[in-house]
């Protein structure tokens, strides 16, 4: 059900962008089998539209291969197609794209490496996102430029699956952690929302800090939006 809702949202967003403001005019522009496992979307300042997508989300070891960021483009014949922008990979280890947002003409995506681990008191091993990676993709650079995609680890967080992501007006990034309640239940301290400060965009470096606790975040926020000086989020 979540995938179907997300896919419908993608289609509606594209149609809205192209001027179809009447909600009754929603139509399918890409077959579901061509855009599976969608999670989050974003637009950059020039209107280009992007989404995360997973072809094979699960195997016995958790979330693994075939995770991508695509640009959705309109072809001269009026049909739409997807163009691969990035693949979920961290030095040869597959990672799962979840959160996606943008600041000016750069994409920022959270990609988590999953690992099956044994936890004391839990009878079966669990697949957990144990290594969060932040991608920076400069869409003003050519696809052949090796500096177009840069990656940074978030080493202060042991278990994080980013979902909602949003920038404030000063360029600070806020990320919601879907796994925060579960991590805390296992004795691993994690915040519901973390704040990431981008120190350098040319040599991609960041710092991070806990920003909102699980208790204040009503377990965990999911989607995040920032308007002026206020943050809005939904939480389960």
């Amino acid at each position: 059900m979540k995938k179907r809702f997300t896919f419908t949202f993608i289609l509606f967003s594209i149609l809205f962008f192209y001027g179809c403001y009447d909600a009754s005019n929603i139509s399918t522009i890409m077959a579901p089998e061509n855009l599976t496992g969608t999670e989050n979307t974003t637009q950059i300042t020039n209107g280009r539209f992007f989404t995360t997508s997973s072809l094979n989300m699960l195997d016995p070891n958790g979330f693994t291969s075939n995770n991508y960021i695509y640009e959705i483009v309109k072809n001269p014949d009026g049909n739409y197609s997807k163009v691969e922008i990035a693949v979920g990979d961290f030095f040869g280890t597959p990672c799962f794209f979840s959160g996606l947002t943008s600041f000016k003409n750069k994409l920022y995506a959270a990609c988590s490496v999953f690992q099956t681990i044994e936890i004391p008191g839990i009878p079966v091993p669990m697949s957990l996102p144990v290594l969060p990676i932040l991608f920076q993709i400069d869409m003003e650079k050519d696809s052949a430029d090796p500096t177009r995609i840069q990656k940074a680890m978030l080493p202060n967080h042991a278990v994080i699956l980013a979902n909602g992501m949003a920038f404030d007006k000063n360029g600070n990034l806020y990320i919601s952690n879907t796994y925060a309640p579960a991590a805390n239940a296992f004795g691993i301290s994690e915040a519901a929302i973390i704040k990431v400060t981008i120190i350098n965009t040319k040599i991609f470096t960041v710092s991070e800090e806990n920003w909102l606790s699980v208790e204040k975040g009503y377990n965990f926020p999911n989607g995040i939006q920032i308007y002026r000086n206020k943050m809005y989020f939904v939480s389960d």
Side-chain angles (χ1 to χ4, degrees):
M1 183 63 70
K2 180 179 179 182
K3 292 181 185 178
R4 184 174 300 173
F5 173 81
T6 307
F7 183 70
T8 303
F9 173 74
I10 291 170
L11 297 181
F12 175 73
S13 296
I14 296 171
L15 290 171
F16 185 90
F17 173 70
Y18 281 98
C20 299
Y21 298 103
D22 185 350
S24 65
N25 289 335
I26 296 176
S27 60
T28 300
I29 61 174
M30 188 173 292
E33 60 269 19
N34 292 331
L35 195 62
T36 61
T38 53
E39 189 69 25
N40 276 294
T41 66
T42 192
Q43 278 183 293
I44 57 177
T45 52
N46 60 9
R48 296 169 67 182
F49 185 83
F50 304 85
T51 182
T52 60
S53 178
S54 299
L55 299 180
N56 298 316
M57 295 176 64
L58 289 170
D59 76 356
N61 296 316
F63 293 79
T64 55
S65 59
N66 299 318
N67 299 293
Y68 301 95
I69 296 173
Y70 291 117
E71 180 177 5
I72 307 301
V73 297
K74 189 175 184 179
N75 304 321
D77 63 3
N79 294 317
Y80 291 82
S81 61
K82 61 184 181 183
V83 177
E84 182 183 313
I85 301 299
V87 61
D89 177 88
F90 186 66
F91 296 106
T93 300
C95 61
F96 171 69
F97 283 121
S98 51
L100 178 66
T101 190
S102 56
F103 189 71
K104 297 180 178 178
N105 284 321
K106 291 184 176 67
L107 301 179
Y108 292 87
C111 201
S112 294
V113 174
F114 275 70
Q115 186 177 30
T116 300
I117 60 176
E118 294 185 0
I119 300 175
I122 305 297
V124 295
M126 296 191 65
S127 182
L128 295 175
V130 296
L131 181 61
I133 312 299
L134 187 62
F135 280 54
Q136 176 187 263
I137 307 171
D138 190 339
M139 296 308 300
E140 293 183 340
K141 293 184 176 180
D142 187 83
S143 59
D145 189 329
T147 66
R148 185 194 197 194
I149 299 177
Q150 299 192 65
K151 307 168 188 178
M153 295 175 57
L154 302 179
N156 295 334
H157 296 271
V159 177
I160 178 171
L161 182 64
N163 200 327
M165 298 173 64
F167 279 93
D168 65 20
K169 63 181 182 181
N170 297 317
N172 298 306
L173 176 62
Y174 299 84
I175 303 175
S176 66
N177 183 5
T178 301
Y179 268 62
N184 290 344
F186 299 146
I188 304 171
S189 180
E190 289 289 352
I193 298 178
I194 66 172
K195 178 182 177 181
V196 176
T197 301
I198 298 173
I199 300 171
N200 191 328
T201 60
K202 293 183 179 179
I203 303 174
F204 189 41
T205 52
V206 301
S207 64
E208 52 185 311
E209 61 183 277
N210 291 336
W211 189 76
L212 187 71
S213 68
V214 168
E215 292 76 19
K216 291 183 178 179
Y218 299 97
N219 286 329
F220 62 88
N222 197 334
I224 298 176
Q225 291 292 332
I226 295 175
Y227 180 68
R228 295 179 179 173
N229 291 323
K230 291 183 173 64
M231 176 185 288
Y232 298 85
F233 62 83
V234 293
S235 182
D236 291 339

